[in-house]
């Protein structure tokens, strides 16, 4: 169905994207997984988004004041 197609497209987009853009994509992937009745995968997508945010915050903290 349409959610299955959306899942394939978001997985493709995630394979091509990099950086913070991926956060929103993982949020969308989580919504798709929830709609498909896959709550564990939905949570895993949100955890992946949080990992990107945490890594970005760590990077910014480490580089603060180095200019």
């Amino acid at each position: 169905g349409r959610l299955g197609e959306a899942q394939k497209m978001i997985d493709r987009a995630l394979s091509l994207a990099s950086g913070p853009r991926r956060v929103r994509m993982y949020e969308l992937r989580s919504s798709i997984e929830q709609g498909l009745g896959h709550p564990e995968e939905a949570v895993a997508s949100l955890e992946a988004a949080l990992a990107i945010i945490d890594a970005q915050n760590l990077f910014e903290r480490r580089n603060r004041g180095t200019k």
Side-chain angles (χ1 to χ4, degrees), residues 15-45:
S15 74
L16 298 172
S18 63
R21 250 176 267 147
R22 292 171 56 94
V23 171
R24 181 65 189 117
M25 291 181 187
Y26 275 115
E27 291 173 348
L28 179 56
R29 187 173 190 275
S30 177
S31 294
I32 294 167
E33 293 290 354
Q34 188 67 33
L36 287 169
H38 303 148
E40 295 86 9
E41 290 88 345
V43 170
S45 292

